[in-house]
Amino acid sequence: MTILHVYIQFISRAIQYYQDSGQTLSFKIKEQRQQPGGSRLGGPLRYPHAILLWLRCNQDILNRRLDKRVDAMLEEGLLREIRTFYNEHNPNKSLLSADNSLYTKGVLQTIGFKEFIPYLEQFDAANDEQIETYLKANGYKMPTQAAITGSVTQLPVGLNILNTCLNELKLVTQRYSKRQQKWINNRLLACKDRQVPDIYELDTSDVNYWKENIYKRAISNYCTICQRQFVGEYQWNLHLKSNKHKKRKEGEKKRAKLQIIEKGSNEIENTQ
């Protein structure tokens, strides 16, 4: 999901809330912040037994995965998509400053668009088709910078600039992933003035150990007797064997038997 989609959803939700309640969403958020358990960042937890599973990964491995995702986007029609977006939202050139600061505002700052401005402004859709033909013939693999510089074959015009734009997108995406980690640290782990759900870190660096490192550790069990949530089979099994759980379980059985006896006594009295 792009920043544009998130922005559209936020605006749509604000309009919907105003139509349903007659109040602005900002007023409601302010009201929630003043409730017990609320803070400057938001209101109290709506679901007190909620948990968060934080899928983490070694940064170097994550960077390689992000690079592969950008390569996959190119194969799935990235060039056509950004060309269409550029044609629909292309700003008035007279409004642009020397540093293209207009592309740092509003929808034009979306990750995956502004990085391609150097290419989009110099070349047209016809050039896109030539590059698409070349990429399709080469399995959508961009040539290395050394290959572009020293190539003896004729490469499509603008391929070098497009390759630079793709590398910039990869770099920006990697930076954004680091900002996401900082957001979690600041909003959830280091936040002391608000209610936050329990968060469990799961390492996804090696997908070959998904079952051991992720699946088994992420299984959630809720003990209705003790009214507690447990994440992971190990913690769950420890709880089932604990004396505290066993005592409460026996207590539940005794109360259930007493209820049956009392119910039977009441039925006998009613028949007399």
Side-chain angles (χ1 to χ4, degrees):
M1 180 178 291
T2 64
I3 295 177
L4 172 60
H5 293 146
V6 174
Y7 184 75
I8 292 175
Q9 286 184 352
F10 178 79
I11 297 298
S12 300
R13 175 56 183 153
I15 295 174
Q16 179 187 15
Y17 182 80
Y18 182 79
Q19 292 175 338
D20 294 341
S21 65
Q23 296 178 337
T24 62
L25 187 58
S26 59
F27 177 83
K28 181 61 177 179
I29 293 175
K30 182 179 180 180
E31 185 181 66
Q32 290 176 339
R33 289 172 177 170
Q34 296 173 348
Q35 296 176 358
S39 71
R40 58 184 176 82
L41 298 176
L45 291 179
R46 184 177 182 182
Y47 302 103
H49 298 297
I51 61 173
L52 294 178
L53 301 179
W54 185 14
L55 302 183
R56 297 206 63 184
C57 180
N58 175 274
Q59 189 63 46
D60 292 335
I61 296 176
L62 178 59
N63 289 343
R64 291 195 292 270
R65 290 177 181 174
L66 294 174
D67 290 349
K68 289 182 180 179
R69 187 176 71 174
V70 173
D71 294 336
M73 290 166 57
L74 182 64
E75 185 174 355
E76 293 172 2
L78 173 64
L79 192 54
R80 293 189 299 274
E81 184 176 343
I82 59 175
R83 175 63 67 183
T84 301
F85 188 88
Y86 178 77
N87 292 338
E88 293 178 354
H89 301 278
N90 186 21
N92 188 336
K93 294 294 190 301
S94 62
L95 299 178
L96 289 174
S97 59
D99 60 352
N100 285 346
S101 61
L102 187 60
Y103 291 112
T104 63
K105 302 177 182 178
V107 68
L108 299 180
Q109 67 179 323
T110 303
I111 293 178
F113 173 66
K114 63 181 182 298
E115 291 78 18
F116 291 91
I117 295 303
Y119 172 83
L120 294 170
E121 290 187 339
Q122 294 185 52
F123 304 97
D124 56 17
N127 199 81
D128 297 348
E129 291 297 329
Q130 295 179 12
I131 291 180
E132 281 283 356
T133 301
Y134 169 84
L135 292 174
K136 187 175 182 180
N138 290 273
Y140 283 91
K141 293 183 179 179
M142 294 291 292
T144 63
Q145 190 62 39
I148 293 177
T149 305
S151 178
V152 295
T153 60
Q154 185 66 31
L155 297 176
V157 177
L159 185 64
N160 187 23
I161 296 179
L162 178 62
N163 191 40
T164 301
C165 295
L166 286 168
N167 290 333
E168 178 65 18
L169 175 58
K170 292 176 180 179
L171 181 61
V172 170
T173 306
Q174 293 174 14
R175 289 174 181 168
Y176 184 68
S177 71
K178 294 178 181 179
R179 290 205 302 271
Q180 288 178 320
Q181 294 184 32
K182 289 182 179 179
W183 187 94
I184 293 177
N185 286 325
N186 295 333
R187 290 295 187 99
L188 299 176
L189 301 181
C191 190
K192 304 297 183 182
D193 62 342
R194 66 178 301 206
Q195 293 179 342
V196 294
D198 293 333
I199 182 168
Y200 296 86
E201 180 181 329
L202 302 173
D203 187 4
T204 66
S205 299
D206 192 341
V207 294
N208 294 319
Y209 293 95
W210 179 269
K211 187 173 182 179
E212 292 79 5
N213 294 343
I214 307 299
Y215 178 75
K216 289 184 177 180
R217 294 184 61 196
I219 294 176
S220 176
N221 296 283
Y222 183 73
C223 181
T224 56
I225 297 175
C226 301
Q227 301 292 305
R228 291 183 60 190
Q229 189 89 23
F230 296 89
V231 177
E233 291 182 340
Y234 179 74
Q235 294 293 335
W236 174 245
N237 290 328
L238 283 181
H239 172 70
L240 295 179
K241 297 176 182 178
S242 66
N243 292 330
K244 186 176 181 180
H245 173 76
K246 291 178 180 179
K247 288 180 180 180
R248 289 194 175 185
K249 187 176 181 180
E250 288 298 322
E252 287 285 338
K253 289 182 179 179
K254 290 180 180 179
R255 283 190 290 271
K257 289 181 180 180
L258 289 175
Q259 289 177 356
I260 294 174
I261 294 173
E262 290 177 358
K263 183 178 180 181
S265 299
N266 292 333
E267 290 178 351
I268 293 174
E269 291 178 358
N270 293 332
T271 57
Q272 291 179 350

